[in-house]
Amino acid sequence: MDDAGARMLQEWNDRIEKEERTLLWNPGKTPDFKDEYGQNEPSLVAFFPKQWNSFKKPGSAVLVCAGGGFSIKAPHEGWPFCEWLNENGIAAFLLDYRLNPYTLPTILGDAKRAMRYIRYNAEKFQISPDKIGVMGFSAGGQITVSLSTLFDEGDPAATDPIDRVSCRPNVQIPCYPAVTILHREFHEDTSDEWRRYVRTLLGEGADDAMIRSYSPEANVKENTPPAFLWGTCDDFLYQHWPLYIQALKEKNIPFEQHIFSSGPHGMGMAKEHPTAKVWTVLCMQWLKEVIGF
């Protein structure tokens, strides 16, 4: 991790410590939690619009997953979007998920639990259980598309009532996401890098079957939630987004995508970009008019 990444991670940790957090599991009961990794147990921070309690009908909510390559979490992809959602009358839940050396199956488990927790408590939060979305950036975008393709309907035999609830999002908003694990360029100069990526993401023992099982474009199904995806052609991840979009198309999943001609990876709100800054307007219009949030 470079100095900039270390500063970003420290900023995230400092801010999250000041928030009123809800652990996803009871203290000390988080599955596969390892004290030696020096991380917090995964948690949620809830943000509600002003006068939320005065609303006469259940509202909508979005689970927010910041990016950071699974080694940090970027503050500019967290708090500003919770505030933006609140300004538009939508509740937000910021996910403080686990990072490396935890692997994607464990991290995805945090997101699944978060979605179940929000839905289980929907009445308490005055949220419709059918209007809970997920939004993520970069690595958080990979969590978003993974949750949207690898969800389950809950275990009716679970002793924990939260685990009996579906973790399917009703809508997905992947923002310049990491998507595929399956498709990489197998040239000699990139194959070693790809293998390191797979080992970091899935663990040393990942075989072809596991790689396919965690590559979202290979797991889109008929009830994958509608999607809003945006990014730029300059982004190094851009080449893989069409694979996911095509998979959505083949399964007749409603989607909207906006690919801007220029701009770096990780822009967040993109307020300073001359064209990409419009993405938040387009996204909110889509959420409210197409999805009914």
Side-chain angles (χ1 to χ4, degrees):
M1 184 187 304
D2 60 18
D3 290 344
R7 287 194 298 271
M8 198 173 289
L9 180 60
Q10 187 62 53
E11 181 184 348
W12 176 279
N13 288 336
D14 289 346
R15 291 188 69 170
I16 206 76
E17 288 291 340
K18 296 175 182 177
E19 299 286 1
E20 184 177 340
R21 292 174 291 154
T22 299
L23 295 181
L24 296 180
W25 288 272
N26 289 332
K29 300 296 184 180
T30 299
D32 303 316
F33 187 76
K34 299 184 183 301
D35 288 323
E36 59 267 31
Y37 289 172
Q39 299 182 29
N40 292 327
E41 292 187 70
S43 63
L44 283 175
V45 180
F47 298 81
F48 294 99
K50 294 179 180 178
Q51 300 180 329
W52 182 255
N53 292 333
S54 67
F55 290 1
K56 295 182 180 180
K57 62 179 181 179
S60 54
V62 173
L63 176 66
V64 178
C65 307
F70 298 112
S71 60
I72 64 171
K73 289 185 284 283
H76 77 284
E77 295 169 346
W79 281 267
F81 288 96
C82 295
E83 295 167 0
W84 169 70
L85 288 162
N86 283 182
E87 289 166 1
N88 285 277
I90 299 172
F93 291 83
L94 182 61
L95 178 60
D96 190 35
Y97 57 88
R98 283 174 277 186
L99 301 170
N100 290 337
Y102 291 104
T103 58
L104 181 60
T106 298
I107 296 168
L108 178 58
D110 293 347
K112 287 182 175 182
R113 177 70 176 190
M115 184 60 64
R116 296 190 214 279
Y117 177 86
I118 298 167
R119 182 165 282 123
Y120 179 79
N121 289 286
E123 184 175 356
K124 180 178 77 171
F125 294 140
Q126 300 182 56
I127 292 167
S128 168
D130 298 323
K131 290 186 178 182
I132 305 172
V134 60
M135 163 187 270
F137 304 81
S138 191
Q142 185 154 21
I143 296 172
T144 296
V145 295
S146 296
L147 181 61
S148 298
T149 54
L150 300 174
F151 58 84
D152 61 73
E153 296 303 324
D155 179 3
T159 56
D160 186 337
I162 295 176
D163 288 335
R164 302 172 198 161
V165 177
S166 170
C167 63
R168 177 187 179 273
N170 299 111
V171 65
Q172 54 172 310
I173 308 170
C175 306
Y176 44 86
V179 176
T180 187
I181 308 169
L182 183 63
H183 294 278
R184 287 286 185 261
E185 294 69 37
F186 287 92
H187 302 299
E188 289 185 4
D189 59 342
T190 61
S191 59
D192 287 344
E193 181 180 351
W194 177 81
R195 291 188 184 96
R196 284 195 297 272
Y197 175 78
V198 170
R199 286 197 297 269
T200 298
L201 204 58
L202 296 180
E204 292 288 341
D207 57 14
D208 289 346
M210 186 178 186
I211 291 169
R212 175 170 287 275
S213 71
Y214 279 94
S215 204
E217 80 281 7
N219 292 284
V220 173
K221 39 192 175 279
E222 285 76 9
N223 60 343
T224 290
F228 180 100
L229 183 150
W230 81 276
T232 76
C233 292
D234 286 346
D235 195 320
F236 64 98
L237 295 174
Y238 164 70
Q239 61 185 316
H240 299 298
W241 300 335
L243 298 169
Y244 187 58
I245 292 298
Q246 182 60 34
L248 294 174
K249 182 69 173 177
E250 290 173 357
K251 294 295 185 181
N252 296 312
I253 307 301
F255 68 86
E256 185 167 316
Q257 68 166 331
H258 295 276
I259 309 299
F260 300 95
S261 62
S262 66
H265 183 72
M267 287 195 293
M269 285 282 184
K271 288 183 177 180
E272 305 303 319
H273 194 279
T275 55
K277 63 184 179 182
V278 74
W279 83 265
T280 53
V281 176
L282 296 170
C283 180
M284 192 53 62
Q285 179 179 331
W286 180 79
L287 276 174
K288 292 190 172 183
E289 294 185 5
V290 179
I291 306 303
F293 263 48

